[in-house]
Amino acid sequence: MLIRLIPRLLLGWFVVSFACQFLPMRIQALLRALDVFGLIPRWMFFSPAFSSSDYHLLYREALCDGTLTQWREIPLAERRSLLGAVWNPERRHRKAVATAVARLVQQAQAPARRVPLPQAHGYAAILALITSRGGTPLTRAFQFAIAESHGYETRTPSRMVLVSELHPR
């Protein structure tokens, strides 16, 4: 009898967990209130506010003679590999940079900023990352930019979301 009950309990748990991702919020709240053991997961796979664009962190150098180098990209993500699921020591560093970029974009697009952009934590972190790359002996200043692209969506052109001032070395 117990052998027949277990698959039915698991099936019921799956159905409730799956359905709870699509039900109206008030019904979800009721089901979660009844879930005293916290067995109904809250997945974000079906989030209504998914990201539809990618950010790219770019930087360039101002040389002593006044010329600006070409924009170079600092990758915010890398190709996934099977080994990366087990060993990925750079993941936290890349995640921190990607988070700083996303927050800086939010602050730049906010209608009423609390602090000027160059004083924001994300701004200082990104600037520190770029200046830590060293540049060349001819580099007198650094500048960074954040660009937004839409992946496979080619109807929407890429654009610069933020371009910093030149920051002396």
Side-chain angles (χ1 to χ4, degrees):
M1 172 128 166
L2 186 61
I3 297 293
R4 291 182 181 174
L5 182 63
I6 291 174
R8 290 178 182 163
L9 285 173
L10 289 174
L11 180 63
W13 179 33
F14 173 77
V15 168
V16 169
S17 297
F18 187 79
C20 204
Q21 306 308 311
F22 301 101
L23 294 172
M25 291 305 283
R26 57 180 150 52
I27 297 173
Q28 282 187 35
L30 175 67
L31 284 174
R32 291 188 194 286
L34 297 172
D35 182 24
V36 293
F37 296 111
L39 297 174
I40 301 174
R42 185 181 304 259
W43 296 315
M44 297 299 164
F45 299 129
F46 309 109
S47 174
F50 62 92
S51 176
S52 62
S53 63
D54 296 319
Y55 295 121
H56 304 272
L57 179 58
L58 309 165
Y59 75 99
R60 65 182 174 182
E61 302 164 15
L63 304 177
C64 292
D65 64 359
T67 60
L68 294 171
T69 62
Q70 294 290 320
W71 289 107
R72 286 177 269 182
E73 184 174 2
I74 297 176
L76 299 178
E78 63 182 26
R79 289 201 170 269
R80 305 225 176 199
S81 69
L82 192 55
L83 179 61
V86 179
W87 178 253
N88 193 354
E90 289 293 317
R91 184 185 187 295
R92 287 187 179 183
H93 175 73
R94 288 184 190 277
K95 173 66 174 146
V97 173
T99 300
V101 166
R103 289 207 176 135
L104 192 56
V105 168
Q106 285 176 343
Q107 289 172 336
Q109 294 175 343
R113 291 188 203 139
R114 292 184 182 152
V115 296
L117 226 60
Q119 295 175 5
H121 293 293
Y123 193 98
I126 292 168
L127 186 58
L129 171 69
I130 289 165
T131 56
S132 72
R133 295 190 164 242
T136 67
L138 299 175
T139 301
R140 71 169 176 81
F142 292 93
Q143 183 179 32
F144 70 88
I146 299 172
E148 180 182 40
S149 70
H150 297 278
Y152 296 109
E153 174 60 50
T154 56
R155 288 178 288 170
T156 308
S158 299
R159 67 183 179 101
M160 290 287 204
V161 176
L162 173 109
V163 178
S164 78
E165 302 170 10
L166 285 170
H167 295 278
R169 189 173 214 184

